Amino acid sequence: MLQQRCFHCHEPVPAGTDYHCEVLSQPQVFCCAGCQAVAETIVAQGLSDYYKFRSKAANKANAVPAELKAKLQSYDSTEVLQELTEQIGDAQRIELSVNGMSCAACAWLIERQLQQNPAVKRVSVNSGTARCELVWDANITPLSLLLSQITELGYQASPFVADLEEQNFRQEMNAYLKRLAVSGIMTMQVMMLAFGLYFGEFSGIEAQYEGYLRWVSLLMTLPVMAYAALPFSSSAWRALKARQLNMDVPITLALYYTFIASLYATVFDTGEVYFESVCMFVFLLQLGKFFEFRARKQARDATSNLLKVMPVSATLWDGEHGTATSARRLQSGDHILVKAGETIPADGVVESGVSSVDESMLTGEYKAVSKQSGDMVLAGSINHDGILVVRVRSALTESRLGQIIALQQQTLHQKPALLEKTDRIARFFVQRLLVIATVTFCAWYFWIDADRAFWVTLSVLVATCPCALSLATPTAVTCALAQLNRKGILIKNQHVLDVLPRLSKIFFDKTGTLTQGRFSLTAVQSFSQHYQQTELLNLMANLEQQSEHPIARAFSPYFQQPVALEQVNLTVGAGLSAWYQQQLLRIGRPEFCGLDPQDPRFAGAQVCFSIDGELAATVQLADQLRPEVEPLVTALKQRQLKLAILTGDGSAAAPAVASQLGITELWQGCSPEQKVEAIQQSVQAGETVLMVGDGINDSPCFHAAHVSVALDSGTELSKNQADVVLLHNDLQQLQMLIDGARRARTVVKQNLWWAAGYNLVIIPLAVCGFVSPYVAVIGMSCSSLLVVSNSLRLLKA
């Protein structure tokens, strides 16, 4: 009698236990109270479809012990939450590491469970990285309760720590090595016995010795089938139970096809045995999977290196003594002491001390940078040889490093359309493969050569496994993202790699994008009879303090003393207004100030200032082009890309910049709505559009364009809205981005062509009986390794 298996974890049900629960309208048996409790929770929450969709068994569940509940409750402390979370409005964001996940259905189950909690605003679970991004309101529901809900489903969730990823990698690597060792050692032993059987066929061997060698071979093959081949057979079985097909189905069919035939021949002493083929098959499969795992780990590491430099501790400095504290608790204005060899824990300004700093992890520049009083230092950079006292400018989560890591993590919860398409192709291919294998067996057994039907069918199943097809896209995408990140190009949305190769037109913002954004006042014309020019400049500087636009920074040197402004209002793309001593002040474009744009007094002026609707002053500004812009524009034109400038600047400066760069399409004096309209016209005309900008007024354009790019020196809003952020503030990175996307597309095409071409060649050969099982295994493994290796070239591009 077969031993019953737990419906939840598929482990044997111990004798004498009685744990039952109705799932999907059928009574099911469980091995322990923990699995029963998890199943009851899943059913009670209306999530029974999990058992339909899962492709792997769940981990054995245990009841939540009191000590674990106490540990979870420790996460509710305000101080601990400040350490672990990022504030987003009224909510907190945290990255969780989830243990016990086995397939995509686990991610679906956790998401549905948490989404039922009214405090949860957003939850995204990535089954590939075993991570969960959670945004929730801690004032409504404590974190411990949400973690307990995950625990009740049979998983263990805790705040993500980068070091645990290394630990999980080592555990997974050890598992690969153990299975590889078992299959390798047993293959050698069974092969020696097989030689005895082979030579016995020619030189003669007594029946009792032949039977002995067969039984010993069977016993040595059992550990291979029960342990080394278990990942393939378990995955295939769960896929079939879910009425799905994955790549392990044909592999498992080939394995058991051969093993059962050899077992029958051994027990009934008839026919041939192929135990050495089974062992060799599993060994080669495990060897290919091992190298594939190593290669994919290398690609994945390249995207997570920044997590390893996230500083943990800091030393608060009161002028005489240092106090150890957490880096996450630092606030703007704090003073910290950074000793030689320590990681700088926050963005700040050096107050005292001289040293050299390694900023390579953030800038890509490996040459040490000298730092002294007044210089900016970045979180994550390493202080080399001196002692620095730093005044914190941005807390760790708001620092450049913190923002890069937060944006980088967003890509882990996305799946490109191209990747989903290749997954569907792989599943479609498996279905056709099984049909081809069945037809091949019938044709050989009934019409061609019944003795060879077994081996020909085995070759078809093995040789045409679509592993390479499934790996073609994800490995290339991962490597491309990693390499672009290394170059300081942060891609937040993976669809960028799909769109950029089709790019046909680029829109540039002018101020702060094509130009350096470091304006200076070259001329001020006063028209007021009640204010001196210095008073007017001070009023304008007070108003411009409310804006983040690069033009506003040009007025900073003229700020003398604060004035009492009331009802300050910013109109994006137009200007600023406020009340001062019952007078309405406006600064910006002539129309915004209520003035006639055709007034000759505005000639050459970029900014107008009015008081109660009367012109008070005009300002002329100068802004130089970025040094890399002219060669960039030349290179983009050589790529046959159309270029256009979108700017809110209505002065003569905009045509001058367009003329200098040889760009004929200029949209100037545009409001944000007009910028969006210009982009939409190009999109409707069939263009694939990229928008490059850096200001608040560029954010609406980012949604209208197919791809949006922001400079790291831009406003926080523009960086949050953009698909890509150029971390080095160098527009030449735009070429690297386009080249990287095109190389990724080329590699994906090469991988897909290789995978498809290999199968188109190998299928007819295998069906016709020209491919032996050994050659099929080697061909399948080499095909997968070739695809992964080809993708790894992107890391060196």
Short mmCIF file of all heavy atoms in Angstrom, two decimals, residues 338-344 352-358 367-372 381-389:
data_model
loop_
_atom_site.label_atom_id
_atom_site.label_comp_id
_atom_site.label_asym_id
_atom_site.label_seq_id
_atom_site.Cartn_x
_atom_site.Cartn_y
_atom_site.Cartn_z
N VAL A 338 34.38 60.61 10.23
CA VAL A 338 34.69 59.49 9.34
C VAL A 338 36.19 59.23 9.39
O VAL A 338 36.98 60.06 8.95
CB VAL A 338 34.25 59.78 7.89
CG1 VAL A 338 34.47 58.54 7.02
CG2 VAL A 338 32.79 60.22 7.84
N LYS A 339 36.56 58.07 9.94
CA LYS A 339 37.97 57.73 10.08
C LYS A 339 38.49 57.07 8.80
O LYS A 339 37.71 56.68 7.92
CB LYS A 339 38.16 56.79 11.27
CG LYS A 339 37.71 57.39 12.60
CD LYS A 339 37.83 56.39 13.73
CE LYS A 339 37.32 56.96 15.04
NZ LYS A 339 37.39 55.96 16.14
N ALA A 340 39.81 56.95 8.71
CA ALA A 340 40.43 56.32 7.55
C ALA A 340 39.95 54.88 7.40
O ALA A 340 39.92 54.13 8.39
CB ALA A 340 41.95 56.36 7.68
N GLY A 341 39.58 54.51 6.19
CA GLY A 341 39.12 53.15 5.91
C GLY A 341 37.64 52.94 6.10
O GLY A 341 37.11 51.88 5.74
N GLU A 342 36.93 53.91 6.65
CA GLU A 342 35.50 53.76 6.90
C GLU A 342 34.68 54.18 5.68
O GLU A 342 35.14 54.99 4.85
CB GLU A 342 35.06 54.58 8.12
CG GLU A 342 35.58 54.06 9.43
CD GLU A 342 35.04 54.83 10.62
OE1 GLU A 342 34.57 55.97 10.43
OE2 GLU A 342 35.11 54.30 11.74
N THR A 343 33.47 53.65 5.60
CA THR A 343 32.54 54.04 4.54
C THR A 343 31.76 55.26 4.99
O THR A 343 31.24 55.29 6.11
CB THR A 343 31.56 52.89 4.24
OG1 THR A 343 32.30 51.74 3.81
CG2 THR A 343 30.58 53.27 3.15
N ILE A 344 31.70 56.25 4.14
CA ILE A 344 30.96 57.48 4.47
C ILE A 344 29.47 57.15 4.51
O ILE A 344 28.92 56.63 3.53
CB ILE A 344 31.27 58.58 3.45
CG1 ILE A 344 32.76 58.93 3.52
CG2 ILE A 344 30.42 59.82 3.71
CD1 ILE A 344 33.23 59.92 2.47
N SER A 352 35.77 69.79 8.18
CA SER A 352 37.20 69.91 8.47
C SER A 352 37.89 68.60 8.11
O SER A 352 37.26 67.55 8.04
CB SER A 352 37.42 70.25 9.94
OG SER A 352 36.94 69.20 10.78
N GLY A 353 39.21 68.70 7.90
CA GLY A 353 39.98 67.52 7.56
C GLY A 353 40.31 67.47 6.08
O GLY A 353 39.65 68.10 5.25
N VAL A 354 41.35 66.70 5.77
CA VAL A 354 41.78 66.51 4.38
C VAL A 354 42.00 65.02 4.17
O VAL A 354 42.62 64.35 5.00
CB VAL A 354 43.07 67.29 4.08
CG1 VAL A 354 43.53 67.01 2.66
CG2 VAL A 354 42.87 68.78 4.29
N SER A 355 41.50 64.49 3.06
CA SER A 355 41.67 63.06 2.78
C SER A 355 41.43 62.83 1.30
O SER A 355 41.10 63.74 0.54
CB SER A 355 40.69 62.24 3.63
OG SER A 355 40.90 60.86 3.41
N SER A 356 41.60 61.56 0.90
CA SER A 356 41.24 61.12 -0.46
C SER A 356 40.15 60.07 -0.32
O SER A 356 40.16 59.27 0.62
CB SER A 356 42.44 60.56 -1.20
OG SER A 356 43.00 59.47 -0.50
N VAL A 357 39.21 60.08 -1.27
CA VAL A 357 38.01 59.25 -1.16
C VAL A 357 37.84 58.43 -2.42
O VAL A 357 38.03 58.93 -3.54
CB VAL A 357 36.77 60.14 -0.92
CG1 VAL A 357 35.50 59.32 -0.98
CG2 VAL A 357 36.88 60.84 0.43
N ASP A 358 37.48 57.16 -2.24
CA ASP A 358 37.21 56.25 -3.37
C ASP A 358 35.71 56.30 -3.65
O ASP A 358 34.91 55.80 -2.86
CB ASP A 358 37.65 54.83 -3.01
CG ASP A 358 37.36 53.84 -4.13
OD1 ASP A 358 36.90 54.26 -5.21
OD2 ASP A 358 37.58 52.63 -3.92
N LYS A 367 40.11 56.42 -9.70
CA LYS A 367 41.14 57.29 -9.14
C LYS A 367 40.59 57.98 -7.91
O LYS A 367 39.49 58.53 -7.91
CB LYS A 367 41.56 58.33 -10.19
CG LYS A 367 42.69 59.23 -9.74
CD LYS A 367 43.08 60.20 -10.85
CE LYS A 367 44.21 61.10 -10.40
NZ LYS A 367 44.60 62.06 -11.47
N ALA A 368 41.37 57.95 -6.80
CA ALA A 368 40.93 58.57 -5.56
C ALA A 368 40.74 60.07 -5.75
O ALA A 368 41.51 60.73 -6.46
CB ALA A 368 41.94 58.31 -4.45
N VAL A 369 39.69 60.61 -5.12
CA VAL A 369 39.35 62.03 -5.26
C VAL A 369 39.73 62.74 -3.97
O VAL A 369 39.33 62.33 -2.87
CB VAL A 369 37.85 62.20 -5.54
CG1 VAL A 369 37.50 63.68 -5.73
CG2 VAL A 369 37.44 61.40 -6.78
N SER A 370 40.48 63.82 -4.08
CA SER A 370 40.90 64.59 -2.91
C SER A 370 39.71 65.37 -2.35
O SER A 370 38.92 65.96 -3.09
CB SER A 370 42.03 65.54 -3.28
OG SER A 370 42.40 66.33 -2.18
N LYS A 371 39.58 65.35 -1.02
CA LYS A 371 38.49 66.06 -0.35
C LYS A 371 39.06 66.94 0.75
O LYS A 371 39.96 66.52 1.50
CB LYS A 371 37.49 65.07 0.25
CG LYS A 371 36.81 64.16 -0.77
CD LYS A 371 35.87 64.93 -1.68
CE LYS A 371 35.17 63.99 -2.67
NZ LYS A 371 34.26 64.71 -3.58
N GLN A 372 38.50 68.14 0.85
CA GLN A 372 38.88 69.05 1.92
C GLN A 372 37.66 69.88 2.30
O GLN A 372 36.56 69.65 1.79
CB GLN A 372 40.02 69.96 1.47
CG GLN A 372 39.72 70.75 0.21
CD GLN A 372 40.92 71.52 -0.29
OE1 GLN A 372 41.94 71.58 0.39
NE2 GLN A 372 40.83 72.10 -1.47
N SER A 381 30.89 55.94 -0.47
CA SER A 381 32.30 56.10 -0.85
C SER A 381 33.19 55.82 0.37
O SER A 381 32.74 55.89 1.51
CB SER A 381 32.56 57.49 -1.41
OG SER A 381 32.12 58.49 -0.52
N ILE A 382 34.45 55.48 0.12
CA ILE A 382 35.35 55.02 1.18
C ILE A 382 36.43 56.07 1.44
O ILE A 382 37.12 56.51 0.51
CB ILE A 382 35.99 53.67 0.81
CG1 ILE A 382 34.89 52.62 0.61
CG2 ILE A 382 36.97 53.23 1.88
CD1 ILE A 382 35.42 51.31 0.06
N ASN A 383 36.55 56.46 2.70
CA ASN A 383 37.58 57.41 3.10
C ASN A 383 38.92 56.68 3.19
O ASN A 383 39.05 55.70 3.92
CB ASN A 383 37.20 58.02 4.46
CG ASN A 383 38.21 59.05 4.91
OD1 ASN A 383 38.94 59.62 4.10
ND2 ASN A 383 38.27 59.29 6.21
N HIS A 384 39.94 57.17 2.48
CA HIS A 384 41.20 56.45 2.39
C HIS A 384 42.14 56.68 3.56
O HIS A 384 42.44 55.77 4.33
CB HIS A 384 41.92 56.81 1.08
CG HIS A 384 41.49 55.95 -0.07
ND1 HIS A 384 41.96 56.12 -1.35
CD2 HIS A 384 40.61 54.93 -0.14
CE1 HIS A 384 41.40 55.23 -2.16
NE2 HIS A 384 40.58 54.51 -1.44
N ASP A 385 42.62 57.90 3.71
CA ASP A 385 43.78 58.06 4.59
C ASP A 385 43.66 59.17 5.63
O ASP A 385 44.51 59.26 6.51
CB ASP A 385 45.04 58.33 3.74
CG ASP A 385 44.76 59.30 2.61
OD1 ASP A 385 43.89 60.17 2.78
OD2 ASP A 385 45.42 59.17 1.56
N GLY A 386 42.68 60.01 5.58
CA GLY A 386 42.57 61.09 6.55
C GLY A 386 41.34 60.95 7.42
O GLY A 386 40.57 60.01 7.30
N ILE A 387 41.18 61.90 8.34
CA ILE A 387 40.00 61.94 9.20
C ILE A 387 39.16 63.15 8.78
O ILE A 387 39.66 64.27 8.70
CB ILE A 387 40.40 62.05 10.69
CG1 ILE A 387 41.19 60.81 11.10
CG2 ILE A 387 39.15 62.21 11.56
CD1 ILE A 387 41.67 60.85 12.53
N LEU A 388 37.89 62.91 8.51
CA LEU A 388 37.00 63.96 8.05
C LEU A 388 35.86 64.19 9.03
O LEU A 388 35.32 63.22 9.60
CB LEU A 388 36.41 63.59 6.67
CG LEU A 388 37.37 63.40 5.50
CD1 LEU A 388 36.61 62.95 4.27
CD2 LEU A 388 38.15 64.67 5.22
N VAL A 389 35.52 65.44 9.24
CA VAL A 389 34.29 65.79 9.95
C VAL A 389 33.32 66.29 8.88
O VAL A 389 33.61 67.25 8.15
CB VAL A 389 34.53 66.86 11.02
CG1 VAL A 389 33.20 67.28 11.64
CG2 VAL A 389 35.47 66.34 12.08
#
